[in-house]
Amino acid sequence: MKLLRLGAPGKERPAVRDSAGRIYDLSGLTGDIDGPFLAGGGVQRVRAALGSGELPLLDAEGMRTGAPVARPGKVVCIGLNYRDHAAETGADVPQRPVVFMKDPSTVVGPHDTVLIPRGSAKTDWEVELAVVVARRARYLAYPSDAAEAIGGYAISNDVSERAFQLELSAQWDLGKSCETFNPLGPWLVTPDEVPDPQALGLRLSVNGVQRQDGTTKDMIFDIAFLVWYLSQYMVLEPGDVINTGTPAGVALGLPDTPYLRAGDTTELAIDGLGSQRQTFEQA
């Protein structure tokens, strides 16, 4: 099942896309797709409503696609989680997950305009598999317990300003939390449609030139381990987003460091999770 939110920013309505590509309005079932919806059995209610045929069709033609989850409480990110990406940036392969946070307000729709920050010379791209939390996760006993906390998966573009990230501070937050720096979606795909999250191809192109082409099987720390690990140090709440790292091919690691400029476009895709496209503009 693919959950999505359609409409102008701040006025999105919840919807669901079935296996035939039809879009149904969920406004009569829930006010939004958010943490309370996920934690309160919302997915099960939608599945039952779809099966009974009681949901009204929605004409989504021309409607903006928002992020599939309303503003999360937090966005937790994992850095250097692919060996080839660590190598291209000159970093050692981490022995423990590299964890940083991203301002939740960075989350925007999958096709929204992304703003290059004022003073930026090194805005970069990162295609990532995002995990959306559906149940509170606190001190999980084993990585195998993580599945119960996962509400679904989505595409994330962890846009980064490398000078802000690596040159202005010992922390990464300045280069990760600029406005619009986390396009998410188009859908939240429920786990039943992603039987193996460690077998998904990830791709990203810039202005039609393919830059990233990886697979989640190359993650250093897999999804179950990451959810378990994070739960040892913070409480993961329903609606939270976890960005799980990016494969090689970012501008920082390319010989000519072709950082993004106003007018550039990025296109992202992950197997089974749809696609994104953004145009970059100067803030």
Side-chain angles (χ1 to χ4, degrees):
M1 193 161 58
K2 297 177 175 67
L3 299 168
L4 66 161
R5 300 167 66 247
L6 299 169
K11 298 181 180 179
E12 295 93 344
R13 66 171 64 184
V16 62
R17 184 180 189 269
D18 71 8
S19 58
R22 294 179 293 250
I23 307 293
Y24 295 89
D25 191 350
L26 296 180
S27 298
L29 193 68
T30 181
D32 212 338
I33 297 170
D34 53 14
F37 167 84
L38 294 168
V43 170
Q44 292 76 12
R45 294 198 305 275
V46 171
R47 185 170 284 118
L50 265 179
S52 68
E54 64 186 72
L55 294 174
L57 279 168
L58 178 63
D59 182 5
E61 185 69 29
M63 295 184 73
R64 167 187 172 270
T65 301
V69 180
R71 177 173 170 164
K74 56 183 172 288
V75 178
V76 188
C77 303
I78 308 299
L80 305 173
N81 197 29
Y82 290 71
R83 284 181 171 80
D84 56 0
H85 176 56
E88 73 173 346
T89 61
D92 294 332
V93 173
Q95 300 304 302
R96 295 163 64 94
V98 175
V99 180
F100 62 94
M101 309 293 284
K102 195 161 188 167
D103 184 347
S105 70
T106 59
V107 174
V108 294
H111 311 300
D112 286 350
T113 298
V114 175
L115 300 176
I116 296 175
R118 296 177 185 179
S120 168
K122 298 181 179 180
T123 295
D124 206 345
W125 58 82
E126 293 189 12
V127 60
E128 305 202 8
L129 174 64
V131 175
V132 177
V133 177
R135 288 177 175 78
R136 200 168 195 254
R138 174 180 178 270
Y139 293 118
L140 295 178
Y142 306 102
S144 57
D145 296 331
E148 296 181 2
I150 295 174
Y153 303 93
I155 304 170
S156 182
N157 190 353
D158 178 19
V159 185
S160 310
E161 212 296 335
R162 301 302 188 188
F164 297 179
Q165 175 190 354
L166 302 172
E167 301 169 21
L168 300 185
S169 171
Q171 304 296 322
W172 290 4
D173 300 51
L174 292 181
K176 295 287 187 173
S177 290
C178 304
E179 61 179 329
T180 71
F181 262 28
N182 204 134
L184 187 70
W187 313 306
L188 173 61
V189 182
T190 51
D192 58 292
E193 293 196 11
V194 187
D196 186 358
Q198 302 304 149
L200 302 176
L202 308 85
R203 295 165 295 280
L204 181 145
S205 64
V206 181
N207 300 329
V209 177
Q210 184 164 294
R211 294 298 191 180
Q212 292 184 276
D213 186 7
T215 171
T216 56
K217 73 179 180 182
D218 293 335
M219 285 183 179
I220 298 168
F221 306 104
D222 66 20
I223 301 300
F225 180 87
L226 290 173
V227 174
W228 168 82
Y229 181 85
L230 292 172
S231 80
Q232 309 307 303
Y233 300 97
M234 65 184 75
V235 179
L236 298 173
E237 298 286 2
D240 286 352
V241 173
I242 304 170
N243 287 339
T244 59
T246 196
V250 299
L252 176 65
L254 293 172
D256 54 345
T257 56
Y259 291 112
L260 294 162
R261 299 289 183 264
D264 287 345
T265 61
T266 51
E267 296 179 78
L268 299 74
I270 297 181
D271 294 344
L273 303 187
S275 62
Q276 299 185 357
R277 185 181 189 277
Q278 298 100 31
T279 300
F280 285 71
E281 293 183 2
Q282 191 64 49

